[in-house]
Amino acid sequence: MSTKKVPARTGSTVTRRKRSAGSGRLLRQERADTISHAAIEFFAEHGFKGQTRELAARAGVTQGLLYRHFPNKDAIIEKVYHDVFLSNWNPEWEVWIGDRAVPLRDRLVRFYKDYTKGIMKPEWIRLFLYFGLDGRGDFAKRYLKNMHQTIWYRIVAEVRHHSGRPSLDFEAIKVSEVEMVWALIASIFFIGVRHYVLGLTVPDDIDSIIEAKIHAFLEGVPAAMADSPNQEAIFDLLPDM
């Protein structure tokens, strides 16, 4: 009597289906990441008025496939905002600024050097400007409002403590204090504008420039803050998002 051989099975149908589904999810994520990375470069070059057909060609996919991963252009831009601006956020910044066991100068230098590493990139600088120029300013305002509430407020509080002035619990933050912190970060940001937008030569050693800016800030700003008119600032100078 002959016995029919049964081929060896490499795995159950359920297992093979799970592997196939897992591979499908991985491929889908890889394609979404490819589109996102291409969108960052594309919008940094052309602004947000660039067409999705051109973006799809840059990403090496069809426009139909692009919309299978992102329902519309706004969803792509939201992903770009997250990947460029939010993914680089370091929650330790707030801890560094508030650590009074460390001299204020060292705290500020550490924060601004680390922060500048994240923003001193062509896509960061150019996209931030395009958010304001291309009618999508809510993204920039959203980011800046978060900076106000988590970073700049703390810097003012620490400058006050450093100078022996009343805390923000007893004396409301003033317009001039907010403006002086604005001025410091703006001077650093403009190095990136000069380089990545205007095409001008900038110093190679940005860290030394930051150290000099912090030195100048602490030499003059605390006294200027103390002597400025007692005009209370509505801290969220930016509209509600």
Side-chain angles (χ1 to χ4, degrees):
M1 180 177 177
S2 63
T3 303
K4 186 176 180 181
K5 287 188 176 181
V6 178
R9 301 178 67 183
T10 57
S12 69
T13 301
V14 172
T15 300
R16 288 196 297 272
R17 285 176 179 170
K18 285 182 177 179
R19 288 174 179 168
S20 177
S23 298
R25 284 193 296 270
L26 180 60
L27 179 59
R28 181 177 178 81
Q29 185 59 52
E30 288 175 350
R31 283 178 176 168
D33 290 342
T34 296
I35 294 170
S36 177
H37 294 155
I40 290 170
E41 295 179 356
F42 179 75
F43 289 133
E45 292 175 15
H46 302 286
F48 298 110
K49 294 178 181 178
Q51 300 299 308
T52 55
R53 182 179 293 105
E54 298 171 1
L55 169 57
R58 171 73 69 91
V61 300
T62 65
Q63 192 174 23
L65 182 58
L66 183 148
Y67 282 122
R68 285 178 58 188
H69 291 278
F70 296 94
N72 50 48
K73 186 176 179 180
D74 287 342
I76 300 172
I77 293 173
E78 183 75 40
K79 183 67 164 59
V80 166
Y81 171 73
H82 179 275
D83 289 352
V84 175
F85 295 95
L86 301 187
S87 64
N88 290 324
W89 189 269
N90 183 356
E92 288 296 304
W93 290 337
E94 300 169 57
V95 178
W96 296 350
I97 294 169
D99 184 4
R100 292 178 179 173
V102 178
L104 180 59
R105 178 189 178 280
D106 295 342
R107 285 182 267 159
L108 295 182
V109 166
R110 184 184 186 188
F111 160 68
Y112 278 105
K113 282 184 178 181
D114 197 65
Y115 180 74
T116 301
K117 288 177 184 176
I119 73 169
M120 204 59 67
K121 301 171 183 176
E123 61 270 19
W124 203 104
I125 298 293
R126 294 177 64 88
L127 286 170
F128 190 85
L129 294 174
Y130 275 129
F131 274 131
L133 293 170
D134 284 6
R136 296 178 182 274
D138 283 358
F139 286 97
K141 291 174 183 176
R142 191 192 312 174
Y143 180 83
L144 289 173
K145 186 167 185 178
N146 187 50
M147 285 293 292
H148 265 287
Q149 294 171 337
T150 60
I151 301 299
W152 298 342
Y153 185 93
R154 281 177 170 77
I155 291 175
V156 171
E158 294 310 310
V159 169
R160 284 193 178 191
H161 181 267
H162 175 76
S163 307
R165 293 175 55 220
S167 74
L168 294 175
D169 292 331
F170 293 95
E171 181 181 299
I173 195 167
K174 297 188 287 185
V175 171
S176 58
E177 293 175 309
V178 175
E179 288 298 321
M180 289 176 198
V181 176
W182 263 103
L184 176 57
I185 191 61
S187 70
I188 295 172
F189 174 78
F190 194 66
I191 295 174
V193 174
R194 284 158 50 196
H195 187 49
Y196 297 118
V197 178
L198 302 178
L200 301 176
T201 301
V202 298
D204 291 329
D205 187 1
I206 300 297
D207 282 355
S208 294
I209 300 300
I210 291 173
E211 291 177 10
K213 287 180 180 294
I214 298 301
H215 176 76
F217 179 85
L218 290 177
E219 283 295 307
V221 166
M225 285 182 174
D227 294 340
S228 61
N230 193 24
Q231 183 181 2
E232 180 179 348
I234 300 174
F235 192 64
D236 56 346
L237 298 174
L238 304 164
D240 289 336
M241 292 293 105

